[in-house]
């Protein structure tokens, strides 16, 4: 199972909005609404930010939102803050009854 | 509160095996699925497999099929991941994580991670 494709890096200034894409295939992202997004910060365990394409777990800022179109899912961070600087990974359920993660995106707040 | 506490750092030689534990507390262990995920230095997250805690059913990523074994001990509320025939590229932080009730691979609680270093 090949990894989902994400841009290596995305940057923005405080207060701006950024969007991270996650491109898969018709056998994973395009076939199911089981796309999740995770935030990884140094020294911390991953944190679930979005589930089921666009659902925000309790406690996650409403500045984070998710969407999907065809085989590509997206994570948008609005009102970018310094604390948002981290690596972000998408994941998807697949038609093989397995899961696959994305290649990861480093978000830098300028 | 829900907690997943993993065993400590391991250093292994190539060809050896490692077994990482994940002790759960704060919820009914048998009601959820535990996933194992790893991240090698500078690399992406990799899904390894999962275990359904009530009946012990497992599913593995093709990459780890035959080399990883995921088990659980319901009396101890713990899950385990054993990886055999270790290679240097197995050096990584290994995480256990609990899937949320609705499934779909949404991992809402994570262990602190266990660093496994494979070196001769």
């Amino acid at each position: 199972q090949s990894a989902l494709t994400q841009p290596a890096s995305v940057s923005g200034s405080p207060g701006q909005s950024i969007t991270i894409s996650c491109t898969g295939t018709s056998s994973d992202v395009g076939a199911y609404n089981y796309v999740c997004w995770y935030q990884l910060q140094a020294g911390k365990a991953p944190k679930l930010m979005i589930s089921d394409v666009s659902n925000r777990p309790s406690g996650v800022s409403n500045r984070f939102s998710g969407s999907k179109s065809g085989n590509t899912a997206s994570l948008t961070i609005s009102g970018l803050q310094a604390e948002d600087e981290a690596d972000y990974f998408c994941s998807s359920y697949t038609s093989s009854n397995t899961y696959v993660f994305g290649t990861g995106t480093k978000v830098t707040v300028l | 509160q829900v907690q997943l506490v993993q065993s400590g750092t391991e250093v292994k030689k190539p060809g050896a095996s490692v077994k990482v534990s994940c002790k759960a507390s704060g919820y009914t262990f048998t009601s959820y699925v535990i996933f194992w995920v790893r991240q090698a230095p500078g690399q992406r997250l990799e899904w390894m497999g999962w275990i359904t805690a009530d009946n012990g059913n497992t599913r593995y990523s093709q990459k780890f099929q035959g080399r990883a074994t995921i088990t659980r001990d319901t009396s101890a509320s713990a899950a385990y991941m054993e990886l055999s025939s270790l290679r240097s590229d197995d050096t990584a932080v290994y995480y256990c994580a609990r899937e949320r009730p609705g499934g779909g691979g949404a991992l809402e609680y994570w262990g602190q991670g266990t660093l496994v270093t494979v070196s001769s």
Side-chain angles (χ1 to χ4, degrees), chain A residues 65-82:
Chain A
S65 62
S67 62
K68 189 182 84 167
S69 177
N71 296 339
T72 298
S74 299
L75 174 71
T76 297
I77 308 175
S78 305
L80 196 62
Q81 299 181 0

Side-chain angles (χ1 to χ4, degrees), chain A residues 26-87:
Chain A
S26 57
S27 296
D28 39 61
V29 174
Y32 306 97
N33 286 327
Y34 289 136
V35 175
C36 298
W37 289 91
Y38 297 90
Q39 178 191 66
L40 275 74
Q41 295 180 316
K44 296 182 179 181
K47 179 182 179 181
L48 177 66
M49 305 303 285
I50 296 287
S51 65
D52 304 321
V53 175
S54 60
N55 287 343
R56 220 174 18 254
S58 173
V60 172
S61 171
N62 59 9
R63 297 184 298 102
F64 291 83
S65 62
S67 62
K68 189 182 84 167
S69 177
N71 296 339
T72 298
S74 299
L75 174 71
T76 297
I77 308 175
S78 305
L80 196 62
Q81 299 181 0
E83 67 199 47
D84 301 330
E85 195 160 278
D87 293 328

Side-chain angles (χ1 to χ4, degrees), chain A residues 1-3 34 36 38 40 44-48 51-52 87 89 91 93 96-104, chain B residues 35 37 39 43-47 50 59-62 95 99-100 102-108 110-113:
Chain A
Q1 181 73 48
S2 298
Y34 289 136
C36 298
Y38 297 90
L40 275 74
K44 296 182 179 181
K47 179 182 179 181
L48 177 66
S51 65
D52 304 321
D87 293 328
F89 289 85
S91 74
Y93 180 70
S96 301
N97 188 28
T98 59
Y99 291 87
V100 61
F101 282 102
T103 50
Chain B
F35 280 60
V37 174
Q39 186 179 31
Q43 302 298 312
R44 67 181 178 93
L45 294 173
E46 275 190 294
W47 172 79
W50 78 67
R59 178 78 176 163
Y60 298 95
S61 164
Q62 189 173 5
Y95 293 99
E99 187 183 43
R100 60 95 195 267
L107 306 179
E108 58 180 356
W110 293 69
Q112 82 276 20

Side-chain angles (χ1 to χ4, degrees), chain B residues 49-120:
Chain B
W50 78 67
I51 186 164
T52 304
D54 61 351
N55 59 19
N57 286 347
T58 55
R59 178 78 176 163
Y60 298 95
S61 164
Q62 189 173 5
K63 177 174 179 176
F64 298 101
Q65 185 78 46
R67 208 161 64 92
T69 304
I70 299 172
T71 57
R72 97 288 190 225
D73 179 349
T74 56
S75 65
S77 295
Y80 306 90
M81 189 287 299
E82 183 169 20
L83 189 62
S84 62
S85 302
L86 289 169
R87 308 183 291 255
S88 58
D89 61 358
D90 289 318
T91 294
V93 177
Y94 290 76
Y95 293 99
C96 63
R98 193 195 85 172
E99 187 183 43
R100 60 95 195 267
L107 306 179
E108 58 180 356
Y109 293 98
W110 293 69
Q112 82 276 20
T114 296
L115 174 62
V116 175
T117 301
V118 183
S119 174
S120 55

